[in-house]
Amino acid sequence: MTTAQVDGHRRQSTAREATGERRRIAHSPRRRRGPRTSQWAAWAFLAPVVAYLAAFYAYPLYRNVDLSLRHYTVRSFVQGGAPFSGWDNFRQVIHDPAFGTALRNTMVFTLVSIVFQYAIGLALAVFFNRAFRLAPTLRALFLIPWLLPLIVSASTWSWMLNSESGVVNYLLGLVGVGQVDWLTSPSWALTSVIIANVWIGIPFNLVILYSGLQNIPAELYEAASLDGASGWQQFWRITFPLLRPVSAITVLLGFVYTLKVFDLIWIMTRGGPGDSSSTFATWSYRLGFGSLLPEFGPGAAVGNFLILIALVFGLVYIRVQRRQTS
């Protein structure tokens, strides 16, 4: 037998041994248990999150839908057995004269609040992006409205906007402006709660947008300055376009949060006078818990309208993001 034939037999033998070893490893008990063990470990880590979402999101959502599709009274709410009413609660809500006012107030309150919160927050973020000695201290002071409990902020604004003894009317009187019934006039009640909500939401926009500005390379501004671009041109050509992803998520979170604002409006005006500052959030609470004969079904139906609006806006945001990334 030649040397080449011997080498060929050796290579074939080595290949057979390697193939047999791989088969033994693949069919060994330890090999079979590996993927299954990893899978069980993954489910164990996911279980707390799934339980949390089911208990605090899925079940309340199911209960709210169930409330809106049945005719609940106080007795049936406690003991059960509420008859199925289908879409009757939704029809009742839509044909209610308060529906149009609440829808308009909800949209005005949400959109105006978001526009001013974002605009002022962006202006402050650009201002603090310039390094100067007092920037960290001033940024910390601007966070105070965000850190205060809402009941404190709402109570403070109620006192400041009081028609008789409020500090805002006092300051307006010093410059010759007459008394304004901020919280008791149908013309000013919605404006009052918008002002308070804008003040509360500015710090959130400031923090998120400031963090986005920190990720923009300084070399872009240096190159723009060398090309003779003004500060305004740098903002529109560099800052604003590169902040679009951060701005999108900021607006989305602000929309969802502002859409469901209840405590601020309820503490300041209770949705009044009349329905002048009533939104879907306050109207839903008033239907469900604001009288001796609560209407749980219509109240839940109004809450479902809020969920639907937030869902539609979220789907629009996702579609826009996909178009930008594709």
Side-chain angles (χ1 to χ4, degrees):
M1 182 178 293
T2 63
T3 305
Q5 291 175 337
V6 172
D7 292 339
H9 283 296
R10 286 179 180 175
R11 285 194 294 269
Q12 291 176 1
S13 177
T14 303
R16 284 196 296 270
E17 291 176 358
T19 303
E21 183 67 22
R22 285 196 297 269
R23 289 176 179 174
R24 286 194 296 273
I25 293 175
H27 293 284
S28 65
R30 180 179 298 177
R31 183 70 177 181
R32 288 197 299 269
R33 288 196 300 267
R36 186 174 298 178
T37 303
S38 302
Q39 197 173 33
W40 280 111
W43 279 110
F45 280 108
L46 283 175
V49 178
V50 173
Y52 173 80
L53 293 176
F56 295 100
Y57 287 89
Y59 179 72
L61 180 61
Y62 160 75
R63 286 292 296 158
N64 196 69
V65 173
D66 181 70
L67 280 171
S68 64
L69 297 177
R70 296 181 181 274
H71 180 67
Y72 273 93
T73 62
V74 176
R75 182 175 181 178
S76 60
F77 185 81
V78 176
Q79 299 180 355
F84 183 78
S85 60
W87 301 103
D88 290 346
N89 292 321
F90 290 92
R91 283 192 288 266
Q92 177 183 339
V93 166
I94 292 175
H95 291 95
D96 194 305
F99 179 83
T101 302
L103 177 62
R104 184 182 66 251
N105 289 344
T106 301
M107 292 295 100
V108 172
F109 176 79
T110 303
L111 296 178
V112 174
S113 295
I114 288 176
V115 169
F116 280 94
Q117 287 173 358
Y118 177 81
I120 299 174
L122 179 59
L124 291 173
V126 172
F127 173 74
F128 286 122
N129 195 40
R130 301 178 179 179
F132 57 96
R133 182 176 299 178
L134 293 178
T137 303
L138 292 177
R139 280 204 315 270
L141 291 176
F142 271 100
L143 291 179
I144 291 178
W146 196 23
L147 301 177
L148 289 175
L150 276 175
I151 188 172
V152 175
S153 301
S155 300
T156 302
W157 276 100
S158 296
W159 168 74
M160 292 174 60
L161 297 176
N162 186 276
S163 302
E164 303 295 335
S165 58
V167 65
V168 174
N169 274 348
Y170 173 76
L171 294 176
L172 291 177
L174 295 179
V175 296
V177 178
Q179 177 177 305
V180 179
D181 297 326
W182 294 100
L183 304 177
T184 57
S185 170
S187 303
W188 287 101
L190 185 61
T191 303
S192 302
V193 295
I194 289 175
I195 293 172
N197 190 62
V198 168
W199 179 79
I200 293 173
I202 287 174
F204 172 76
N205 287 261
L206 168 61
V207 171
I208 303 299
L209 295 174
Y210 178 79
S211 64
L213 288 175
Q214 296 296 300
N215 294 324
I216 299 178
E219 293 80 5
L220 296 177
Y221 295 103
E222 295 175 1
S225 298
L226 293 176
D227 290 339
S230 63
W232 190 249
Q233 290 174 330
Q234 292 180 26
F235 174 80
W236 281 112
R237 301 294 177 85
I238 299 176
T239 304
F240 197 69
L242 293 180
L243 271 182
R244 282 178 183 172
V246 179
S247 298
I249 191 63
T250 303
V251 172
L252 175 64
L253 294 176
F255 180 87
V256 174
Y257 170 79
T258 307
L259 191 66
K260 64 181 182 63
V261 167
F262 161 76
D263 35 15
L264 177 72
I265 301 175
W266 191 258
I267 292 172
M268 292 183 65
T269 64
R270 294 186 177 271
D275 293 326
S276 59
S277 60
S278 177
T279 62
F280 275 165
T282 59
W283 189 30
S284 176
Y285 178 83
R286 185 182 296 173
L287 287 172
F289 305 99
S291 64
L292 295 176
L293 295 175
E295 300 179 81
F296 296 114
V302 175
N304 284 329
F305 278 118
L306 277 177
I307 296 174
L308 183 61
I309 294 172
L311 180 62
V312 169
F313 193 86
L315 293 176
V316 171
Y317 166 78
I318 293 173
R319 185 162 186 174
V320 171
Q321 287 296 101
R322 285 180 178 176
R323 284 185 177 180
Q324 291 179 354
T325 55
S326 61

